């Protein structure tokens, strides 16, 4: 018995074949698009500040960098190396830390065309500058001059094969280097100049006198040019690879010795080495050896961890395989994927593989798993790129036709026995995966007050040490101290004031916080961001998959009959009732308007399409033959009802099985917000068109008489409930010939549609979303929803989860068109006012707090009309941002940062990557490789991780803050002790330094961060992140003054007794034992323990001090041991510490009493300072919110309800939007040109 597909073919269609011919190029249209593109580039360049007379890389783009040329100056070079020799290499060490100056000292400025080296200056947000010194490489087509490139690829044996192949060519056919110049044309040259910056290549363009980005086939290329690519010869591939490099994403892995050498040259370890030498000269042998052992251990751990991270990342991103390429002439050759270059024609295997480049599909179809990029494991169909002389290829607009590097090819389907072909457009770090890896290797700097202030504070400590150095030199020289002893004592002050253990101590809090987060299934790849997250006061949430469940359920279907809505269908699969007891257009549309496919006999595709198709109860079948023949049939996919006897109407009774074949598919486009299919039913002689997508996009294509009059109220009633609504439309094509259907453009197919109905999908809120949002808002954290979904749906979800509370009213923001000399006007509409019977605007303004709802179109319009004050107000009061593109999300995050917010971003997909990278702290709820854009990744797809992260990061920030204050107080206290002892020609003994620095300070620093986060609700305010604010400075200075007074009183107390004798260093034979030493050491030893307890802050960010058992043991044990040392030390301990005890016991008790009083005063003083509210930095958003709260007329709400006011989306015919031609050739409404009118206008 013939199967269903054979019956389908016998009853409906004959097999036809077509020969693709490229139509002639439309020169006028091409020039028009090129002028538009050039205009866009000029507009971008105007937005970027450029200095006069300065050359740039990537001018006018986000990654614009300054570039300066230099050439070797032998006079400067000789003088520089002479200076290095005279300074015993010290100058070379400094220049190693600052390579910019090494370039300046050995080279002179010159024009770029004469440069042998370049200085690239990268500026970020006008706050940070990175300097890159790069060599200008000259690449030649002659083998002997290409040694540099071969040297870089020496580990790859293929380079030897390349040389061998080149020598086999005829001498008359001399090879040429090749690079893309535009329009699919590659220019052949003998030699070229190139620089590589941040894994991106730039080649010298003599005509423009500038270095320009090396282009792949993804820029300024018409789709017809991609289809005309015929493959490369072996020689062309080799020469092109010399320019583009190997198709590899290589993360450098340095050897152990190289890492060790670089680590030792770190300024921290150089300072450690300086301190080590100084302590040996000063005979502090025990402490010096202890610091040496600690430094060696820390250096070894750092090198080991760095090496491990490099190996892990290298093994993750660097993969290789074999690929089949089609050479010129049609021959296929198997090569390594590392040899691929732009322009190669790939022959895709039928049973899948991992893609190692970005390629454009030329024929056939593919099923791809793009979880590496999107976080979604659902298979994605890929269709061939349309061939058009007027259509420019764009990787974003043509994502449905692009195979991205790192994604997994699951299945290919052949056409007429021919293999599926794709043309390589990008390789290596130019690919989508390469860009992700680049973002990991070169992350943007984050402005964080604590880190910036910590560097400033270290400089302040260095300045204090320099003052002490000068004072010591002058005083000891006046007293006649020897030069060597004078210099050693003076330099010793530097190691005391700037403690070598400070950087290691600062990582303790982050280390413990990272460990605790890992136990909570929150993983961090950037530990320094933990402290940054502790200051978050604003969080942007994606909606779908973040606040709501990932999947959608079909809530209901609203069919339309004769321009009116029929009864809502809520039972699925569709039953045999008055509406669906026949194969109506809506049922057929739901069964066929999708991109589902069978993989291993399992229906796969978009979850929304799956829910829609399953609700019909229909069956999807594909030919049960080998995949290589699936495109031999005209209709590879057929859908049919499971019970034709129930679903057939009388007029179709003669058909054995009612089948519908999907003839052509226009895939979903994010810019158009819809997809479309052309189908043909077995019993009909004409084709049908079915279109499905966002209501505002679909009804703009429908005939007005097919749209029910109550369309917008019905639509809003569902979206207000948080339901997602899709519109379905269709029509019958009067064309019946296959070849004419194949040639129809998308705009012709989708014109003059009839609305068939609405599909209502339910997206359930996650169970913990409302609780988490409520907790965050109670902590005064600004919560924002930023989504690509419908405005009213987003508003409903925002109210359900508590992001918009019951006492808040929402105003939608619109932009009205400029007319008759009047500027654009921003207007506001009450989203909650359904009719005119609701309370007046005046009553509402005084009774409620207003928050704003903004769409992506409005946001783009506001940014384009350059109204910074209005944008700042909207960002400050915005709660819901709907229909936001990935670029809009990133812009919103950056705008919030400009207002002074510390911004967190929570998302789960590739569309959130830009915002995740731009935020101070990004949190990914997906563990796919796209999470590399985020420093935090939660293994549980729940926003509960946000509260966990905030608790731990706040605790880590308070820990780092307290630990920094403690280390600074310890250094300054010890500085005071040494300075006081220098007045008596004494000092602390080696054993005393060892007791303080190793036993007290090191153990306290280790256990300081073990205190967990506060388990209760989040505090109303994040902890302070500024070390130079009034509160920490006052606390530190007051504790230092109190400690200094206590030490001076101890010295005065000891010297007041009759048995006191002054210290005479000549009589002590190198011993530091004296009464002054005893008094100062005894009091200061207690002070270090007291400071640790005082600065170990607990509630509301951390657990109380007594919960830290390790810390309590150290404090109690240290106190008891210090009391023993001060009162009744054993003789051996007294000798070891070099004490001279007072001959009487009461002075010893007075010292302990003095330390006790000072401890009580320290706790009292810190408690008082904690209760005082010090005024800190005042972010801009506070001023804006205060100003808006004091203005009773803000926002100026319009009197009309929301559905009566012209919408800024095509949901109503009052919106006027310009029709533009996208680079993919599709006609769409341009939201950037959206304007509103006071009189009804028809959608153009």
């Amino acid at each position: 018995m013939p199967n269903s597909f054979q019956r389908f073919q016998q009853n409906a269609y004959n097999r036809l074949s077509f020969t693709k011919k490229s139509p002639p190029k439309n020169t006028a249209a091409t020039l028009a698009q090129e002028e538009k593109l050039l205009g866009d580039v000029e507009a971008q360049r105007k937005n970027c500040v450029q200095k006069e007379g300065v050359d740039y890389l990537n001018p006018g783009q986000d990654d614009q960098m300054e570039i300066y040329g230099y050439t070797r100056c032998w006079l400067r070079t000789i003088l520089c190396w002479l200076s290095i020799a005279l300074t015993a290499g010290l100058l070379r060490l400094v220049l190693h830390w600052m390579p910019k100056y090494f370039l300046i000292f050995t080279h002179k400025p010159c024009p770029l065309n004469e440069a042998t080296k370049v200085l690239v200056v990268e500026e970020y947000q006008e706050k940070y500058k990175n300097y890159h010194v790069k060599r200008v490489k000259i690449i030649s087509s002659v083998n002997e001059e290409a040694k540099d490139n071969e040297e870089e690829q020496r580990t790859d044996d293929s380079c030897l094969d390349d040389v061998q192949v080149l020598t086999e060519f005829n001498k008359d056919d001399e090879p040429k280097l090749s690079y893309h110049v535009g329009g699919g044309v590659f220019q052949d040259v003998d030699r070229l100049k190139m620089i590589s910056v941040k894994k991106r290549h730039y080649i010298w363009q003599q005509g423009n006198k500038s270095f320009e980005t090396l282009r792949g086939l993804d820029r300024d290329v018409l789709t017809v040019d991609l289809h005309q690519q015929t493959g490369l010869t072996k020689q062309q591939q080799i020469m092109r690879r010399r320019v583009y490099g190997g198709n590899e994403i290589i993360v450098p892995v340095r050897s152990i010795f190289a890492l060790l050498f670089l680590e030792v040259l770190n300024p921290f370890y150089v300072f450690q080495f300086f301190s080590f030498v100084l302590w040996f000269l000063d005979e502090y042998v025990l402490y010096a050896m202890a610091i040496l052992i600690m430094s060696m251990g820390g250096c070894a751990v750092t090198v080991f961890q760095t090496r491990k991270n490099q190996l892990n990342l290298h093994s993750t991103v660097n993969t290789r395989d074999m690929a089949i390429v089609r050479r010129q002439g049609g021959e296929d050759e198997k090569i390594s994927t590392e040899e691929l270059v732009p322009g190669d024609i790939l022959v895709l295997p039928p049973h899948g593989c991992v893609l190692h480049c970005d390629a454009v599909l030329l024929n056939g179809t593919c099923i791809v798993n793009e979880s590496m990029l999107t976080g979604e494991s659902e298979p994605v169909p890929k269709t061939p790129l349309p061939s058009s002389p007027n259509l420019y290829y764009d990787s974003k607009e043509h994502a449905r036709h692009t195979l991205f590097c790192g994604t997994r090819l699951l299945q290919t389907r052949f056409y007429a026995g021919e293999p599926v072909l794709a043309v390589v457009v990008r390789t290596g770090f130019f690919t989508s995966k390469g860009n992700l890896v680049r973002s990991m290797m070169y992350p943007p700097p984050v402005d964080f007050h604590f880190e910036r202030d910590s560097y400033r504070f270290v400089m302040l400590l260095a300045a204090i040490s320099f003052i002490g150095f000068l004072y010591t030199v002058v005083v000891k020289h006046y007293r006649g101290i020897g030069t060597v002893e004078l210099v050693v004592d003076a330099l010793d002050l530097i190691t005391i004031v700037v403690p070598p253990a400070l950087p290691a101590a600062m990582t303790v809090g982050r280390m413990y916080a990272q460990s605790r987060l890992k136990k909570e299934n929150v993983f961090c790849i950037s530990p320094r961001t933990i402290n940054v997250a502790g200051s978050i006061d604003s969080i942007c949430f994606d909606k779908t998959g973040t606040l709501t469940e990932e999947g959608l359920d079909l809530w209901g279907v609203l069919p339309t009959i004769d321009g009116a809505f029929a009864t809502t269908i809520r039972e699925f699969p569709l039953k045999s009732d008055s509406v669906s007891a026949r194969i109506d257009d809506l049922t057929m549309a739901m069964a066929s308007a999708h991109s589902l496919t069978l993989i291993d006999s399992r229906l796969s595709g978009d979850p929304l399409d799956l829910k829609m198709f399953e609700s019909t109860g229909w069956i999807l079948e594909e030919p049960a033959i080998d995949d290589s023949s699936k495109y031999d049939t005209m209709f590879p996919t057929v859908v049919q009802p499971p019970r034709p006897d129930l679903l057939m109407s009388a007029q179709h009774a003669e058909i054995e099985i009612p089948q519908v074949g999907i003839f052509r598919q226009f895939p979903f486009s994010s810019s158009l917000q819809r997809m479309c299919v052309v189908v043909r039913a077995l019993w009909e002689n004409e084709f049908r068109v079915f279109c499905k997508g966002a209501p505002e996009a679909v009804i703009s294509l429908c005939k007005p008489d097919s749209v029910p009059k109550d369309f917008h109220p019905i639509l809003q009633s569902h979206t207000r409930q948080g339901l997602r609504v899709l519109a379905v439309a269709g029509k019958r094509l009067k064309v019946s010939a296959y070849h004419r259907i194949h040639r129809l453009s998308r705009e012709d197919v989708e014109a003059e549609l009839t609305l068939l109905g609405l599909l209502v999908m339910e997206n359930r809120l996650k169970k913990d979303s409302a609780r988490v949002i409520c907790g965050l808002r109670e902590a005064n954290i600004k919560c924002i929803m930023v989504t690509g979904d419908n405005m009213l749906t987003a508003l409903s979800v925002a109210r359900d989860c508590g992001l918009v509370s019951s006492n808040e009213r929402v105003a939608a923001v619109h932009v009205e068109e400029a007319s008759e000399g009047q500027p654009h006007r921003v207007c506001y509409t009450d989203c909650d006012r359904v009719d005119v019977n609701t309370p007046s605007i005046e009553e509402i303004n005084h009774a409620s707090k207003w928050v704003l709802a903004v769409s992506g179109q409005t946001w783009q319009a506001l940014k384009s009309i350059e109204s910074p004050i209005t944008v700042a107000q909207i960002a400050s009061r915005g709660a819901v941002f709907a229909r936001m593109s990935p670029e809009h999300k990133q812009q919103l995050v950056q705008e919030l940062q400009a207002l002074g917010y510390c911004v967190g971003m929570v998302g789960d997909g590739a569309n959130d990557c830009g915002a995740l990278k731009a935020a101070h702290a990004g949190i990914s709820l997906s563990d796919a490789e796209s999470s590399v854009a985020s420093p935090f990744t939660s293994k549980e797809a729940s926003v509960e991780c946000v509260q966990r992260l905030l608790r731990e990061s706040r605790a880590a920030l308070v820990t780092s803050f307290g630990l920094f204050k403690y280390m600074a107080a310890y250094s300054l206290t010890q500085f005071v002790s040494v300075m006081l002892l220098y007045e008596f020609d004494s000092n602390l003994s080696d054993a005393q330094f060892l007791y303080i620095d190793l036993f007290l300070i090191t153990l306290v620093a280790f256990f300081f961060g073990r205190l967990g986060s506060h388990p209760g609700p989040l505090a109303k305010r994040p902890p302070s992140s500024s070390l130079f604010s009034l509160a920490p400075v006052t606390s530190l200075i007051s504790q230092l003054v109190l400690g200094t007074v206590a030490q001076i009183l101890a010295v005065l107390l000891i010297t007041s007794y009759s048995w006191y004798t002054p210290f005479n260093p000549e009589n002590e034979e190198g011993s530091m034992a004296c009464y002054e030493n005893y008094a100062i050491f005894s009091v200061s030893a207690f002070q270090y323990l007291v400071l640790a307890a005082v600065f170990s802050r607990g509630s509301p960010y951390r657990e109380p001090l007594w919960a830290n058992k390790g810390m309590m043991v150290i404090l109690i044990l240290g106190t008891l041991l210090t009391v023993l040392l001060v009162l009744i030390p054993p003789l051996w301990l007294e000798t070891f510490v070099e004490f001279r005890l007072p001959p009487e016991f009461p002075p010893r008790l007075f010292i302990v009493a003095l330390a006790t009083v000072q401890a009580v005063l320290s706790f009292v003083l810190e408690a008082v300072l904690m209760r005082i509210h010090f005024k800190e930095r005042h972010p801009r958003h506070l001023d804006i919110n205060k100003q808006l709260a004091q203005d009773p007329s803000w926002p100026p709400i319009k009197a009309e309800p929301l559905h009566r006011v012209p919408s800024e989306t095509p949901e109503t015919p009052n919106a006027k939007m310009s029709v533009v031609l996208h680079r993919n050739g599709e006609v769409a409404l341009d939201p950037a040109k959206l304007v509103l009118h006071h009189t009804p206008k028809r959608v153009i």
Side-chain angles (χ1 to χ4, degrees), residues 1161-1180:
L1161 292 177
S1162 295
F1163 279 105
V1164 172
L1165 180 62
E1166 190 70 13
V1168 171
L1169 292 175
M1170 290 288 294
R1171 293 180 178 274
I1172 299 176
H1173 180 67
F1174 292 94
K1175 187 177 180 180
E1176 297 187 1
R1177 62 183 183 91
H1178 204 58
R1180 184 183 168 201

Side-chain angles (χ1 to χ4, degrees), residues 100-163:
K100 166 190 172 183
Y101 293 101
F102 188 50
L103 176 68
I104 295 174
F105 289 172
T106 56
H107 293 67
K108 63 181 179 180
C110 69
L112 283 179
N113 61 332
E114 301 174 5
T116 57
K117 286 190 177 182
V118 294
L119 175 65
V120 179
V121 182
E122 181 184 16
E123 189 172 3
Y124 184 79
Q125 292 184 348
E126 300 181 355
K127 294 181 180 179
Y128 301 95
K129 282 188 178 181
N130 290 332
Y131 297 93
H132 308 272
V133 177
K134 297 296 178 181
R135 180 173 63 90
V136 178
K137 296 184 291 186
I138 299 179
I139 303 177
S140 172
S141 60
V142 181
N143 298 340
E144 288 78 8
E145 298 181 16
K147 292 181 179 179
D148 287 341
N149 271 10
E150 294 174 16
E151 191 72 26
E152 293 178 3
Q153 299 180 6
R154 181 162 291 180
T155 56
D156 187 2
D157 295 338
S158 63
C159 67
L160 302 178
D161 298 336
D162 294 349
V163 176

